[in-house]
């Protein structure tokens, strides 16, 4: 689950973590409390802290809620993105959910929608996140 959270924190400046915290339609995707020190904003990017936060202060991704949301992708649509841009975002969320709780992901579809740079970044985050386990 930690690896999956690192993947979400590193993708497009923490796109999904920001949405989970700020989008009322996605409420319940981040466990409470959401303290500012949990998702660090460093150089304009959200990231998971390098050192553990005290358990009572830490928030976590509610992966059961994320899987429920993946079952109704319209709920995840972001009207602020350009048309067709949700494909890569959804692919990363599906891959993270697969890492966290074994949610099935179609890697062939993900490979078609994710740009090569995103693939490289995604896999490097998965490999580097292994240190958190």
């Amino acid at each position: 689950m930690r690896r999956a959270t690192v993947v979400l924190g590193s993708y497009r400046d923490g796109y999904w973590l920001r949405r989970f915290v700020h989008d009322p339609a996605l409420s319940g995707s981040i466990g409470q409390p959401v303290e500012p020190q949990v998702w660090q904003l460093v150089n304009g990017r959200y990231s998971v802290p390098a050192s553990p936060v005290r358990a009572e202060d830490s928030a976590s991704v509610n992966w059961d809620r994320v899987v429920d949301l993946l079952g109704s992708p319209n709920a995840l649509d972001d009207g602020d993105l350009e048309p067709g841009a949700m494909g890569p975002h959804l692919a990363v969320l599906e891959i993270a959910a697969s890492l966290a709780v074994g949610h099935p992901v179609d890697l062939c579809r993900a490979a078609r929608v994710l740009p090569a740079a995103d693939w490289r970044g995604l896999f490097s985050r998965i490999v580097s996140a292994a240190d958190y386990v």
Side-chain angles (χ1 to χ4, degrees):
M1 290 185 186
R2 179 106 176 136
R3 283 182 277 200
T5 305
V6 168
V7 166
L8 290 185
S10 65
Y11 178 72
R12 306 257 172 118
D13 301 330
Y15 171 83
W16 284 113
L17 297 181
R18 287 192 319 266
R19 288 224 28 225
F20 291 158
V21 170
H22 300 293
D23 188 338
L26 304 181
S27 66
S29 300
I30 294 283
Q32 296 298 327
V34 178
E35 299 292 336
Q37 71 269 26
V38 175
W39 310 123
Q40 297 174 340
L41 185 59
V42 179
N43 296 328
R45 296 175 181 263
Y46 280 89
S47 67
V48 178
S51 59
V53 178
R54 295 178 316 169
E56 60 270 18
D57 291 338
S58 64
S60 61
V61 175
N62 178 343
W63 291 106
D64 292 333
R65 171 77 172 133
V66 169
V67 169
D68 288 344
L69 288 167
L70 285 169
S72 55
N74 289 340
L76 295 168
D77 194 20
D78 184 352
D80 293 335
L81 292 174
E82 62 186 71
M86 185 50 76
H89 289 67
L90 274 177
V92 169
L93 186 61
E94 289 173 336
I95 290 168
S98 180
L99 283 169
V101 293
H103 177 74
V105 61
D106 182 349
L107 289 176
C108 182
R109 185 188 66 75
R112 286 194 303 262
V113 298
L114 277 171
D118 287 344
W119 267 115
R120 283 190 296 277
L122 176 70
F123 288 123
S124 72
R125 290 295 177 191
I126 292 170
V127 169
S128 66
D131 294 337
Y132 288 115
V133 178

